[in-house]
Each structure stands twice: as structure tokens, then as C-alpha cells.
Amino acid sequence: MPKHFLMCRPEYFTVEYAINPWMDPEAGADREVAIRQWEALKAAYESLGHQVSLIDPIEGLPDMVFAANGATVAGGRVYGARFAFAERGPEGPAYLSWFAERGYPTREPERVNEGEGDFLTLDDYVLAGTGFRTDLAAHHEAQEYLGRPVISLSLVDPRFYHLDTALFSLDGRNVAYYPGAFSAGSQEVLRRLFPDAVLASAADAEVLGLNAVSDGTNVVINAEATDLQLELKRRGYEVIAVDLSELRKAGGGPKCCTLEIRA
């Protein structure tokens, strides 16, 4: 089924501060390369029949390209983001305004949360990450507004600072994930919920192979996650490998660049 995505062209992308272990301001990033890689990602979605809408980038917000962090959308309701770091603070209102201007019901958050970075909407419930960026209290706030059960998961490795760096949805009922990113209790929860999950290696997780986007048939994934790609193919998925190495210098991959608009 075709999906609807919101994306933001990395017009002002740079690495000028460090708010996660991937970022090195001294090394910086090549904006032109990042734009070409982002355009290839957008083209990949459109080639699969998905609709891509765009939000205008804002000068001074280099991480606005990571649209997934801008909100969580489920059942047509938009739960806004409130960022943990001041550098990204204005992104939340910008994304919420985009939805409000188009008639979506919106909720301005009281609790710190970073949108789909830490909220993964499945068919029957929402998986929610905490530990680095999103307050546990935001899980309750999201549940009350979205009207969907929210299951909390604790992240323990700072390299995997958002849930979407360590886990992605395969088809609405199953997931792929890297166990080492989660606390012991959360690993047990994931084993109970998803006994047939795809488990990723540390090597594939370390190239953000789990920051992927699946439509239930096709999986758009970082090209370097080779073993994970083979396992997905073995499970019957079509794999579309993309190069987002420049955006990874800020800790982002395909999913980070992609906010799903669930009507």
C-alpha cells in the first residue's frame, strides 16, 4: 500500500555542534553530497509509488532534514515534538505548524519527545523509546492523545540515542532490531512481542542499518548493512540500498529523513 511521507531537503545541512556520538564539528560534512544522497532517497520512495510532501527548510536549523523527529502522526492526529537540545528546539513548532496549516488536528507537547525518532507506530500499539532524548512521561502523553497503547523500551547505548536507530517496523506486526541497544528488561519485552523478529548484528547496527523504512514489501536501507540486507532478502523482502553516508555524520539514515503521515 502506498505511503505518505514528509521530508525536508538538507539545504542548510552541516555538522556544527555535537549532540550525539556520531557528530564531529571538526570533521564537518559536505552539504552538496548530502543533498544528492537525500534526493536519491526521495527518488527511491517515489519509484516505489509513495507520496512525498516537503516542508521548507529553515536557515540555522541544520538538522531539520531529519523529519522523523518533527512529530508523530497516527490516525490523522499529530503529536508534536519538543526537543531535548536547544539547538533543535525551533524544529518542533515548525513541523507542527506545517500540519496545522493543512488542517490536521495537532497537540503541542508538554513533555520532551523527539517524534518518530522515539515513537514507532505499529498496527496495534506504539513502541516508544526512552533513555536519551524522550522523557518517559511523554509516552503517557502520547498515549492519551493518540488513543493507542504505548509500550516503553529503554535504550542504553548512546550510539543508538533514538529508537529508530535500533529498531524498525517490517510490516506493522513485526520488527527488526539490535538487542544490544536495549536494557535487559526491554530485550525480554521485545522477545515476547516479536518472537519472529529479524535480529541485526552489531556491525550492521553500527552503520545505522536499522534506521530503515519498510512498506511491508520493500525495505529502504543503508547500503553498508550487508548482512541485514541478506537476511531481509531471505525473508522475502525487496531491498533498496541507499547511500546516506554524509547524513550519517549527524547520526541520520533513511528513517531519520522520513516522517510517515498516517491518515
Side-chain angles (χ1 to χ4, degrees), residues 1-78:
M1 178 180 296
K3 292 181 176 289
H4 185 189
F5 298 136
L6 180 61
M7 300 181 71
C8 181
R9 192 172 190 268
E11 197 71 43
Y12 304 108
F13 176 71
T14 183
V15 178
E16 60 185 25
Y17 49 74
I19 59 173
N20 67 54
W22 301 86
M23 304 177 87
D24 181 357
E26 291 189 7
D30 188 319
R31 182 177 302 157
E32 295 306 313
V33 173
I35 289 172
R36 289 198 298 271
Q37 293 178 348
W38 177 90
E39 288 176 340
L41 174 64
K42 177 176 176 287
Y45 290 144
E46 291 171 336
S47 73
L48 295 172
H50 302 308
Q51 177 185 352
V52 177
S53 294
L54 299 177
I55 184 173
D56 291 334
I58 297 173
E59 189 171 4
L61 297 178
D63 284 342
M64 194 169 169
V65 60
F66 302 127
N69 304 153
T72 302
V73 186
R77 300 179 187 177
V78 183

Side-chain angles (χ1 to χ4, degrees), residues 9 17 44 63 82 106 118 130 152 156 186 194 202 204 206 208 227 238 249 257-259:
R9 192 172 190 268
Y17 49 74
D63 284 342
R82 184 174 182 180
T106 60
D118 276 322
T130 190
S152 298
V156 296
S186 293
F194 309 108
D204 283 342
E206 288 164 1
L208 291 182
D227 289 341
E238 295 292 328
K249 293 178 180 178
C257 295
T258 312
L259 172 58

Side-chain angles (χ1 to χ4, degrees), residues 77 79 107 119 125-126 128 136-152:
R77 300 179 187 177
Y79 175 53
R107 166 70 183 268
F119 288 108
Y125 42 78
V126 177
L136 187 61
H139 297 182
H140 176 72
E141 187 175 54
Q143 179 173 274
E144 288 300 301
Y145 180 63
L146 299 175
R148 295 176 180 232
V150 173
I151 298 172
S152 298

